[in-house]
Amino acid sequence: MSHTTDTDVIICGTGAAGLTLAIDLARRNIEFLLIDKAPQPFVGSRGKGIQPRSQEVFEDLGVIDRIVASGGEYPVQRVYTDAGPVDEAVVELSEATPAEPYQIPLLVPQFLTERRLRERLTELGHAPHCGHELVGFEQDAEGVSARIATPDGERTVRAAYLIGADGGSSFVRKALGIGFPGKTLGVRAIVADVVAEGVSWDVWHRWGEDTASQVSMCPLYGTDMFQLQAPVPFDVDLDLSAEGLTAFLRERTGRDDLVIRAVNWASAFQMNARLADSYRRGRVFLTGDAAHCHPPTGGQGLNTSVQDAYNLGWKLAAVLGGAPESLLETYELERRPIAEAVLGLSEKLLEAAKQRDNRRGREVNQLDLGYVDSPLSLPSSRRDHGVLAGDRAPDAPVTGAGGLPTRLFGLFQGPHWTLLGHDVDDASVPTPRPGLHIHTIGARGDLLDPGGWVHSAYGLTADQWVLVRPDGYVAAVVDTAELGAVEAYLDTVGVRPLAVTTPPAPESNMSDSLTVTPRTRREHRQVRSAAEKRLATAQRELQDLSRQFQRDLRTVRRQGETKAIVARSNLAELAVQGITRLAAGLRSER
């Protein structure tokens, strides 16, 4: 039997992108439904690289320490050659700096990353619904009606927006008719999570690097498994059992002491590079692998997917809260060029790997990606140094006026915008707004920059301001005289001043508060909540009044005078019954 449920957003897909989006919406108090057709969470290690920019995202979402503890740094690679084994570092490590506190890519099996994200989502009061398959949807000007097959039967869910985070074979993308052009890269490979004997745990083992028979065994820190990887011919049937992979590994390495004891997960796949023609059709969006498909080289796919969702989350929340719908147009404008560039990098690294060059440098850490050409980046013609609008906002250690140390990332953490004033006058500080945190740095501010790290990272002079978006990118760098442009900008992204309300005159009727028509879902919820509170209060007062009438009735009866009070009691009881039915009807409609 079908039934209908309303929510703000339906997220189809519970991978890293879907979970990241769900966490971001949950901390913004946006209602959503997170579904996946799979009966249980993904159990493989496929996307195991966590780049520094994604680590910054995970810090903001409150999960970075658990993810770091779930894995480890990339190990040294041991290449077995005819002349003997050679150890070589693959990742070019850089020292952390105050502006870039995360510099080292992490190796965390994908299933552990997603487990930590689910745990964070649970802390926020939500959980994914496995075994719930999106089987169809229709959209109109007001929202999307989605048909979902569940273990208890099909139901229809009405939402303002639908997000396809359902992977490279995305049902949502195909249903929208969005093209997914690209190419097959001429490489077929196997990847498997295995329990193995005969290989040490301290290095990433590689055999046959310059041949078609290469194979590698990478330790999966946080587990007792290795990830086995190898290219394979297109026309060969593969035995992915423990016995089959043991025979495969021994053949390619020439070592009979290697044994695969168990296979936790295994897959054979063709490497592709594809990019969706569009990220949106009306009220339906694509994110993550549903919008772009990468070869595994460089560890870019999962990271790009996480940052897609991080970009989309705050924009959905802003529009649901009353910001202009046009804000959502910037999602594709900002994220699709990033995916296109990252796809090019992944292909370049794949070609290098074919020539036995597996080195990785700064180009893979995604710290230099930004949105300088975005319509959300306010240009400044007079700025020729320091950060620009669209750049990633650097971190920096600062000291609070109370004497305690903190960091800019700590001040940025959360769903809000941040406005930083550098050596500004108190009189120039803008009026506070909901969703905007304002800090001033300098001798007269609430923050001090004793090490000069803010000045160094941002290149600010006196009387300059930096506006930082909720996703950690600079929206504007302006002088105090240009703050009016920043305040006008904030209006366009839904960060508006508090409305000034006038208390009602004593003679005004209580029902006058219902004459204002709510415009947004949030306003509807606020009006409904206020009405429910008034109903509950009125019901309690009527019940108290009824009990008082009953006491009076018993007293009057003993005195022989009952008629008037009986009538009043009956009237009160009828009112209580009517209010009770009205409240019950409101709860059922909700």
Side-chain angles (χ1 to χ4, degrees):
M1 179 177 177
S2 297
H3 60 280
T4 301
T5 304
D6 287 336
T7 190
D8 289 325
V9 180
I10 299 170
I11 306 169
C12 181
T14 59
L19 289 166
T20 297
L21 180 57
I23 292 170
D24 205 18
L25 294 181
R27 67 177 183 163
R28 299 173 190 278
N29 297 315
I30 299 298
E31 297 177 9
F32 63 89
L33 179 66
L34 175 62
I35 63 172
D36 199 299
K37 68 179 182 180
Q40 61 186 13
F42 177 65
V43 297
S45 64
R46 185 165 47 207
K48 63 184 184 295
I50 308 294
Q51 301 297 343
R53 178 55 188 155
S54 294
Q55 294 172 43
E56 294 180 351
V57 172
F58 289 146
E59 178 182 349
D60 181 46
L61 297 179
V63 75
I64 181 59
D65 290 330
R66 276 171 283 185
I67 287 180
V68 171
S70 298
E73 299 178 12
Y74 273 76
V76 168
Q77 294 198 8
R78 178 165 295 167
V79 179
Y80 294 88
T81 70
D82 293 338
V86 176
D87 289 355
E88 56 186 33
V90 174
V91 178
E92 296 178 7
L93 301 181
S94 300
E95 292 294 328
T97 68
E100 296 178 349
Y102 301 101
Q103 285 284 344
I104 301 175
L106 298 175
L107 193 159
V108 185
Q110 183 174 338
F111 72 90
L112 287 182
T113 297
E114 293 177 0
R115 182 183 300 173
R116 302 306 170 225
L117 293 175
R118 286 194 301 274
E119 292 169 354
R120 178 63 179 136
L121 187 61
T122 300
E123 292 175 348
L124 295 169
H126 297 268
H129 297 269
C130 293
H132 285 55
E133 181 178 5
L134 180 68
V135 295
F137 60 88
E138 296 178 349
Q139 62 173 312
D140 53 45
E142 300 299 323
V144 183
S145 295
R147 292 186 294 110
I148 301 172
T150 80
D152 298 321
E154 185 176 301
R155 64 170 175 158
T156 299
V157 180
R158 180 72 174 173
Y161 298 98
L162 169 65
I163 313 300
D166 49 344
S169 59
S170 170
F171 170 82
V172 175
R173 187 189 65 242
K174 293 174 182 176
L176 292 172
I178 294 177
F180 201 41
K183 57 186 176 181
T184 299
L185 299 175
V187 178
R188 185 187 183 214
I190 59 172
V191 57
D193 298 345
V194 301
V195 178
E197 294 179 0
V199 282
S200 63
W201 193 254
D202 57 337
V203 296
W204 187 337
H205 304 269
R206 289 185 175 275
W207 293 269
E209 278 292 281
D210 53 353
T211 72
S213 298
Q214 60 185 279
V215 64
S216 74
M217 293 282 280
C218 176
L220 293 176
Y221 298 133
T223 78
D224 60 352
M225 298 182 293
F226 288 82
Q227 185 188 69
L228 184 154
Q229 292 176 294
V232 293
F234 281 88
D235 56 351
V236 172
D237 292 330
L238 300 169
D239 180 358
L240 299 181
S241 68
E243 295 78 9
L245 289 178
T246 295
F248 176 87
L249 186 59
R250 289 179 174 182
E251 178 184 359
R252 292 214 170 180
T253 63
R255 287 179 51 177
D256 292 337
D257 60 323
L258 302 182
V259 181
I260 304 298
R261 292 297 183 191
V263 180
N264 186 65
W265 169 80
S267 174
F269 66 99
Q270 297 183 37
M271 294 187 189
N272 289 280
R274 299 187 181 278
L275 180 63
D277 286 333
S278 175
Y279 278 26
R280 178 187 188 186
R281 286 283 191 275
R283 289 180 168 269
V284 184
F285 293 80
L286 302 177
T287 194
D289 289 350
H292 43 78
C293 181
H294 304 252
T297 44
Q300 300 294 288
L302 181 145
N303 294 273
T304 305
S305 298
V306 163
Q307 292 168 55
D308 284 348
Y310 192 53
N311 182 285
L312 181 58
W314 71 266
K315 296 173 181 178
L316 283 170
V319 172
L320 287 165
E325 182 81 16
S326 58
L327 178 62
L328 291 173
E329 296 174 3
T330 66
Y331 167 61
E332 179 173 342
L333 290 174
E334 292 185 340
R335 292 306 302 171
R336 194 172 183 278
I338 294 289
E340 190 171 20
V342 170
L343 278 169
L345 172 61
S346 297
E347 290 184 65
K348 176 182 176 182
L349 293 175
L350 177 61
E351 290 303 315
K354 291 178 180 178
Q355 305 301 318
R356 204 182 148 187
D357 182 0
N358 292 301
R359 291 171 297 175
R360 305 286 183 265
R362 183 178 175 87
E363 73 278 5
V364 302
N365 65 21
Q366 301 198 348
L367 291 173
D368 298 324
L369 301 178
Y371 310 123
V372 175
D373 296 325
S374 168
L376 291 181
S377 300
L378 287 180
S380 178
S381 58
R382 294 189 297 275
R383 189 161 180 81
D384 57 3
H385 66 286
V387 297
L388 301 175
D391 286 342
R392 163 194 165 275
D395 194 11
V398 292
T399 302
L404 295 180
T406 186
R407 299 161 53 216
L408 289 187
F409 275 11
L411 302 177
F412 298 161
Q413 186 173 22
H416 55 271
W417 293 70
T418 306
L419 183 63
L420 298 174
H422 184 262
D423 197 15
V424 298
D425 190 271
D426 286 346
S428 67
V429 177
T431 303
R433 301 176 179 222
L436 175 68
H437 292 192
I438 302 175
H439 299 280
T440 56
I441 302 170
R444 294 163 292 176
D446 62 305
L447 299 173
L448 302 175
D449 184 23
W453 296 112
V454 177
H455 181 271
S456 173
Y458 284 81
L460 300 176
T461 58
D463 288 317
Q464 285 193 318
W465 297 80
V466 177
L467 179 65
V468 179
R469 299 171 13 167
D471 56 354
Y473 289 89
V474 175
V477 183
V478 299
D479 297 330
T480 295
E482 302 171 302
L483 275 177
V486 169
E487 295 191 271
Y489 172 95
L490 289 170
D491 289 337
T492 68
V493 293
V495 185
R496 301 188 179 98
L498 276 176
V500 178
T501 57
T502 303
E507 66 273 15
S508 64
N509 191 292
M510 183 173 61
S511 63
D512 290 345
S513 62
L514 300 178
T515 60
V516 178
T517 302
R519 296 175 300 169
T520 68
R521 283 177 174 266
R522 179 171 294 176
E523 290 174 349
H524 275 286
R525 288 195 294 267
Q526 291 171 343
V527 170
R528 183 173 67 189
S529 176
E532 287 177 332
K533 290 178 181 177
R534 290 198 301 274
L535 278 171
T537 300
Q539 185 172 354
R540 287 194 300 271
E541 291 176 351
L542 282 168
Q543 288 172 340
D544 292 342
L545 181 60
S546 177
R547 286 191 290 269
Q548 181 62 48
F549 277 147
Q550 292 295 334
R551 289 193 294 269
D552 291 346
L553 176 59
R554 288 191 293 272
T555 300
V556 172
R557 277 176 176 166
R558 287 195 297 270
Q559 298 174 358
E561 301 260 344
T562 62
K563 185 174 182 180
I565 196 66
V566 167
R568 292 168 66 191
S569 178
N570 289 340
L571 178 63
E573 288 175 349
L574 288 173
V576 169
Q577 293 171 8
I579 291 295
T580 301
R581 286 194 299 271
L582 180 60
L586 178 62
R587 285 193 295 271
S588 64
E589 290 174 4
R590 181 180 60 187

